[in-house]
Amino acid sequence: MSNSNRANALPFLGRGPVNENPKDSGVAEQGFVAIAMIFARTWPFLKPYVVGYWRELSFSGRAGAHSRDTVASDTPGDAANDPESARWSFNHIPPLATLTAALGPITGALPYNESWLYDFLLLTSFAMAGLTWCLLFAKQRFYAGLSTSLFIIGAIAFLFAVFAVEGTLDNVYVAIMCAVSTGIWLLQYRVDEGKLRLRVRLGSHLIYYFVGVWASTLLLILIALFSVDVVSQSILQAKPLTPFIADLIASPELAGAPIDTDVAAAAQGNAAVELAPLTADQRHSLKWVYAAFLVLGWIAQLPLGFALPYYYIYIMQRLNQDLRVALVGQWHQLSMRYHSNHRVGDSVYRIYQDSSQVTAVIGELTQALQVLITYFTGIVFLFALDPILGLMALSIIVGTLIWARWFSPRMRVNSLVSRQANSNFTSRVQETFSSTRLIKAFGAEPQEQQRFEADSINAFNASYNVRSLVAVIGIVTFTIAAGALLYGQYLTAIWAFGERETYASVLVALVGLSFLRWNLSAYQSAQEYLGASSVSIRELVDRWTRAQDIAMGLNRVFDILDIEPDVTSKPGAQALGELRREIRFDSVSFAYEPTRPVLQDVSFSVTPGTVTAIVGPTGSGKTSLMSLISRLFDPDSGSVSIDGVDLKDLDLDSLRAGVSVALQENVLFGLSLRDNIRYAVPDAPDEQLMEAVRVACVEDYIAGLPDGLDTVLSDRGGKLSTGQRQRLSIARALVKGAPILILDEPTAALDAATEHRVLQRLTEWAKQRAVFLITHRISTIQQADTILYIDQGKLIEQGSHEELMSLQGGAYRAFVETEARLSQRSASEQNA
């Protein structure tokens, strides 16, 4: 490809050509629900990292403690998914939670009817206790909702105790109440024969991670609130600290002393209490307190800052591994029909690239949840300062939703096209590298380079279209959000200059901040939350954009996982035993496509201890016929049976274990000779291995190698001759010791002497086994006990070599005579 063509194919401006159409024509019509459903399908892979596993501990007086791990169900007492769960009990949790809730007013930790704040905490405590009783008797379908309610109420109670109620005793009490309530999910017990057994839920990595994120966020909020009030109000303007922050740093004197001496009158509402400003020394000392607070906050955040990212990567990599393993496992189960119709590179791309999108699901959901919490927290705060600000922050959503309606379908289509183009590019790379010998033999490097560049440019342009669309989405979203942000800055500056009273001054004071009127601190906080709301909207749009790309990748993965294998074992299928009587094909017909039959009404039988040659023109259906024995395909009509048992009634794994195949394409791996030969039977003993080597007549070659069987081959055995690879392939089939052996062109690359030795040893080895030879070589065919001549998918003739040669005008006889004439002509030309 010339430089000018490359420049035109990769334009600096505009859209380059993309030769792809989305295979899923309905992708543009998919909306939020469809994307959410795709994300929801990842739950089976996320579930183990949420419910974890049970660590069982048993205690006895003599033997001490013992432990073992079992799979955890997502509901206690779920006998269907966890048969032993019905024997485990968490009856101790509801009474313990009720007792803990009652101890609040009894001990004075939460005095009753003293303040509505304490009453609210009491209400949440008894609500948690009530939910534990509900969980004890609830049916399975209600468990998730009740558990979620318990978590939400506990989180609200804890946050309310920390930020709205003064003192530390209530914080400790609510924390204990939350811990007791979660015990219903964490700890269970039972008594067996006088032995106490406990089980503790472990391995809930996603739960642990989100608890860490929540703790880190809570600490950051505390630091932010402290910093805004202390720096903006007290250090810069000499205003006293709020009682909440003064108590937090154990310096109540910094809350200020009242100037009005008639404190009692002021307390009754007859006079306003004016607090004296902080002295210079107090402000100076407060700077050191602030610095120390920041250092302590940084130290507290440091472990979480290091641990959480590492923990997140650990969870995501395990999750990706699980999906990738499941995808490859499904890929192995698919029939040859699927593999025949799909490029290898497409499967590689789905397994390697598309499957990795599952790790982004958690990240996107987590970040979206955090952004939503930040956004609505800011909305609440802005409404408290002034409803106009809250409405302005909300108005950003309206414009964003209108904008999203335009870009969302375009994003889905472009994402799917990009993945298909890159999948095709991966296929091109795989096909090029696997055909290196052929390309060099024909001098086809320029043509392959041109094809490679065409697919590469196609993939680049498709990916570029996605990235450029993402950039446009971000710019327009920023413009929408910036308009509301700029107008909000204008209003808050005017209000702060005029010291206008904030809208929900009572609520603001309740939290312990000084924003009763618009001041510098209120202005800065309003700007912070307006900015955070603007950023939140932009991040939500970014999350939604990425979610659509992720969904397109996951959808390609689930397309594979949803495919039902054509060939499976029936429930209760019997295992294949020894071959005793016969292998029978009864009126078998088969086709890859309905309009193109491959086999038509084929019937024959083979007995143990015989060698059967399958002969016929190229494309007559010989290999397809043998593929039915190992159930790579099932016949469309008729049946294949072993000792009178239809192959469909045999266990598929045991059937394929009883069939050994040496393919026409001699595939070898970059492993040692020993591992290549023992590929199907990794634990085969050396005696069995050496016997296979002897029968395949490859012992002399191996003996001449410096490392013998431990010699490591190059990729695909590239340094071996075709004959050497063929004999190694035969040895690999023989070492399995299967009762049925299929050899596809086993001697095509062997000289006459080696062929004779291999066939002689193979005949001796094959006693009590059925051997099938797919071949065109007359010398090989003559060694067979029975010959099946197939043409255009039909069994034309069958019998021994002598019987078929005696048929005047027979198809097999004509085949042999033609091969003989061609051999004589070839010999004459070589002699000449």
Side-chain angles (χ1 to χ4, degrees):
M1 182 178 290
S2 65
N3 290 333
S4 59
N5 289 336
R6 291 190 181 98
N8 292 330
L10 300 172
F12 180 71
L13 296 174
R15 297 167 63 92
V18 178
N19 299 322
E20 297 289 340
N21 290 313
K23 296 179 181 179
D24 186 355
S25 59
V27 68
E29 287 73 30
Q30 292 179 347
F32 176 80
V33 175
I35 301 299
M37 291 301 295
I38 294 175
F39 274 43
R41 294 196 59 188
T42 62
W43 169 245
F45 301 96
L46 302 178
K47 180 180 176 181
Y49 301 99
V50 175
V51 301
Y53 63 89
W54 290 112
R55 171 67 56 83
E56 295 185 10
L57 305 172
S58 59
F59 301 90
S60 60
R62 297 180 181 178
H66 304 277
S67 66
R68 71 184 182 98
D69 296 340
T70 59
V71 177
S73 63
D74 48 356
T75 59
D78 182 8
N81 298 321
D82 187 5
E84 287 195 358
S85 65
R87 301 171 58 190
W88 292 91
S89 173
F90 54 94
N91 296 339
H92 59 293
I93 296 297
L96 186 59
T98 304
L99 177 61
T100 305
L103 287 176
I106 294 175
T107 60
L110 294 181
Y112 174 68
N113 207 22
E114 181 174 309
S115 168
W116 73 268
L117 302 175
Y118 290 123
D119 291 343
F120 178 78
L121 290 180
L122 274 176
L123 178 63
T124 56
S125 299
F126 280 103
M128 285 189 284
L131 284 172
T132 60
W133 284 105
C134 293
L135 285 167
L136 182 62
F137 300 104
K139 295 181 179 180
Q140 180 182 347
R141 63 177 180 271
F142 300 118
Y143 183 81
L146 292 172
S147 298
T148 303
S149 301
L150 180 60
F151 171 79
I152 293 175
I153 292 175
I156 292 175
F158 186 77
L159 292 174
F160 192 82
V162 170
F163 291 106
V165 183
E166 296 183 8
T168 57
L169 184 59
D170 57 283
N171 299 346
V172 174
Y173 168 79
V174 172
I176 293 174
M177 186 67 204
C178 292
V180 171
S181 299
T182 54
I184 200 169
W185 191 66
L186 297 175
L187 180 65
Q188 297 179 6
Y189 74 94
R190 79 184 194 201
V191 178
D192 287 340
E193 299 177 354
K195 298 179 182 179
L196 175 63
R197 298 182 62 185
L198 301 177
R199 67 175 186 176
V200 182
R201 192 187 295 266
L202 301 175
S204 301
H205 296 293
L206 285 174
I207 301 296
Y208 305 153
Y209 172 74
F210 284 120
V211 169
V213 170
W214 181 69
S216 176
T217 304
L218 191 63
L219 185 58
L220 287 175
I221 291 174
L222 185 63
I223 293 173
L225 291 176
F226 181 87
S227 300
V228 168
D229 219 32
V230 170
V231 174
S232 299
Q233 295 299 109
S234 301
I235 295 178
L236 295 181
Q237 301 186 60
K239 294 185 178 181
L241 295 176
T242 62
F244 169 75
I245 296 179
D247 290 340
L248 182 65
I249 63 175
S251 299
E253 69 278 4
L254 296 180
I259 295 177
D260 189 352
T261 56
D262 193 0
V263 179
Q268 296 174 4
N270 297 328
V273 177
E274 183 180 353
L275 299 178
L278 299 179
T279 65
D281 291 338
Q282 288 177 323
R283 294 168 66 189
H284 182 71
S285 64
L286 194 57
K287 290 187 295 185
W288 293 108
V289 172
Y290 174 66
F293 184 83
L294 290 182
V295 171
L296 291 175
W298 178 80
I299 293 174
Q301 275 286 109
L302 191 62
L304 292 174
F306 279 107
L308 287 178
Y310 176 85
Y311 196 25
Y312 178 79
I313 295 297
Y314 166 76
I315 297 172
M316 293 303 101
Q317 291 306 312
R318 286 189 56 172
L319 186 61
N320 188 18
Q321 173 70 2
D322 291 345
L323 181 57
R324 188 176 296 162
V325 168
L327 187 58
V328 173
Q330 173 72 357
W331 186 80
H332 283 305
Q333 298 300 318
L334 297 178
S335 70
M336 291 302 298
R337 290 183 189 270
Y338 172 85
H339 296 297
S340 300
N341 295 327
H342 288 78
R343 301 173 76 180
V344 174
D346 178 68
S347 297
V348 171
Y349 191 85
R350 291 176 192 245
I351 292 170
Y352 175 71
Q353 185 66 32
D354 290 333
S355 68
S356 65
Q357 299 303 303
V358 72
T359 62
V361 171
I362 294 298
E364 293 303 308
L365 292 178
T366 302
Q367 294 178 20
L369 181 61
Q370 291 175 345
V371 170
L372 283 172
I373 292 174
T374 300
Y375 177 69
F376 284 107
T377 300
I379 292 294
V380 172
F381 186 81
L382 290 173
F383 264 107
L385 292 177
D386 198 289
I388 296 178
L389 294 180
L391 290 173
M392 288 175 56
L394 281 175
S395 67
I396 303 176
I397 293 182
V398 179
T400 304
L401 289 176
I402 297 173
W403 169 230
R405 186 174 180 84
W406 180 89
F407 73 73
S408 293
R410 291 166 175 79
M411 181 64 200
R412 289 190 289 272
V413 171
N414 280 276
S415 175
L416 185 58
V417 167
S418 173
R419 291 186 177 277
Q420 291 173 355
N422 280 277
S423 179
N424 289 334
F425 175 63
T426 304
S427 296
R428 174 64 61 192
V429 173
Q430 184 271 330
E431 292 166 1
T432 300
F433 287 167
S434 63
S435 306
T436 302
R437 185 185 296 271
L438 179 67
I439 293 171
K440 289 188 174 295
F442 284 92
E445 290 92 342
Q447 297 95 307
E448 287 302 320
Q449 180 70 18
Q450 187 174 2
R451 293 191 186 99
F452 177 88
E453 289 188 14
D455 283 346
S456 178
I457 289 172
N458 192 58
F460 174 87
N461 286 334
S463 299
Y464 180 79
N465 290 341
V466 175
R467 299 295 174 260
S468 60
L469 178 59
V470 170
V472 171
I473 292 171
I475 293 172
V476 175
T477 305
F478 175 80
T479 304
I480 294 173
L485 179 62
L486 290 175
Y487 186 62
Q489 287 180 331
Y490 169 75
L491 286 180
T492 53
I494 293 177
W495 294 341
F497 182 77
E499 294 190 351
R500 175 180 171 177
E501 184 178 354
T502 56
Y503 178 73
S505 56
V506 176
L507 180 61
V508 172
L510 178 65
V511 178
L513 301 177
S514 61
F515 309 157
L516 302 181
R517 287 185 174 276
W518 279 94
N519 51 31
L520 177 61
S521 182
Y523 170 80
Q524 291 178 339
S525 294
Q527 296 311 306
E528 177 183 347
Y529 280 102
L530 275 173
S533 298
S534 173
V535 171
S536 297
I537 291 297
R538 283 151 43 199
E539 288 187 356
L540 281 175
V541 170
D542 183 54
R543 298 280 80 78
W544 171 241
T545 303
R546 286 175 52 83
Q548 293 173 97
D549 180 48
I550 293 168
M552 295 302 98
L554 288 176
N555 206 35
R556 285 166 47 85
V557 172
F558 292 132
D559 284 344
I560 304 298
L561 295 177
D562 288 343
I563 297 175
E564 292 292 336
D566 296 336
V567 179
T568 58
S569 296
K570 289 182 178 179
Q574 66 183 78
L576 174 66
E578 295 182 4
L579 178 60
R580 300 182 181 276
R581 300 193 304 275
E582 64 174 3
I583 301 172
R584 176 173 292 277
F585 281 66
D586 188 7
S587 302
V588 170
S589 296
F590 171 74
Y592 296 104
E593 299 176 7
T595 57
R596 299 175 60 186
V598 177
L599 298 172
Q600 302 179 60
D601 198 29
V602 176
S603 298
F604 66 90
S605 63
V606 172
T607 57
T610 60
V611 176
T612 303
I614 314 296
V615 184
T618 300
S620 59
K622 303 183 297 295
T623 301
S624 298
L625 180 70
M626 292 296 96
S627 297
L628 300 179
I629 295 180
S630 54
R631 286 195 73 193
L632 297 180
F633 305 95
D634 279 335
D636 297 329
S637 63
S639 65
V640 183
S641 61
I642 297 178
D643 291 340
V645 180
D646 194 308
L647 297 189
K648 296 179 181 179
D649 297 324
L650 293 174
D651 178 71
L652 186 60
D653 292 335
S654 70
L655 171 63
R656 291 179 178 171
V659 179
S660 192
V661 181
L663 300 173
Q664 185 174 1
E665 180 184 2
N666 303 305
V667 179
L668 297 174
F669 303 96
L671 306 170
S672 67
L673 284 171
R674 186 189 307 275
D675 292 336
N676 266 283
I677 296 173
R678 296 195 306 188
Y679 177 75
V681 191
D683 56 349
D686 289 343
E687 295 79 7
Q688 187 175 341
L689 177 69
M690 295 309 299
E691 175 63 12
V693 168
R694 184 194 67 81
V695 175
C697 297
V698 74
E699 71 273 24
D700 293 339
Y701 164 71
I702 294 175
L705 296 173
D707 296 326
L709 285 169
D710 295 320
T711 302
V712 177
L713 300 180
S714 60
D715 186 40
R716 301 173 64 87
K719 296 182 180 180
L720 301 179
S721 68
T722 304
Q724 289 168 339
R725 289 200 298 270
Q726 194 163 52
R727 281 180 286 163
L728 287 173
S729 181
I730 294 173
R732 181 167 57 195
L734 296 176
V735 77
K736 193 174 179 181
I740 302 172
L741 177 65
I742 301 173
L743 303 177
D744 196 347
E745 296 289 358
T747 61
L750 303 183
D751 58 80
T754 304
E755 175 193 9
H756 178 73
R757 286 192 296 127
V758 170
L759 291 177
Q760 185 178 21
R761 295 180 183 183
L762 186 62
T763 302
E764 297 173 356
W765 177 88
K767 294 178 180 179
Q768 302 304 316
R769 292 181 173 92
V771 179
F772 295 89
L773 304 175
I774 303 174
T775 181
H776 291 90
R777 295 186 67 166
I778 303 301
S779 56
T780 303
I781 298 171
Q782 290 175 341
Q783 305 294 323
D785 299 298
T786 304
I787 299 170
L788 305 178
Y789 188 84
I790 298 176
D791 190 8
Q792 295 183 356
K794 298 179 180 179
L795 180 57
I796 306 300
E797 297 171 357
Q798 61 177 313
S800 65
H801 175 73
E802 293 75 13
E803 292 172 347
L804 297 183
M805 289 298 295
S806 65
L807 298 176
Q808 294 294 328
Y812 175 75
R813 180 173 177 172
F815 167 79
V816 173
E817 291 173 350
T818 301
E819 288 289 328
R821 286 195 299 270
L822 291 174
S823 297
Q824 291 176 358
R825 181 184 301 176
S826 177
S828 300
E829 291 176 353
Q830 291 178 357
N831 293 331

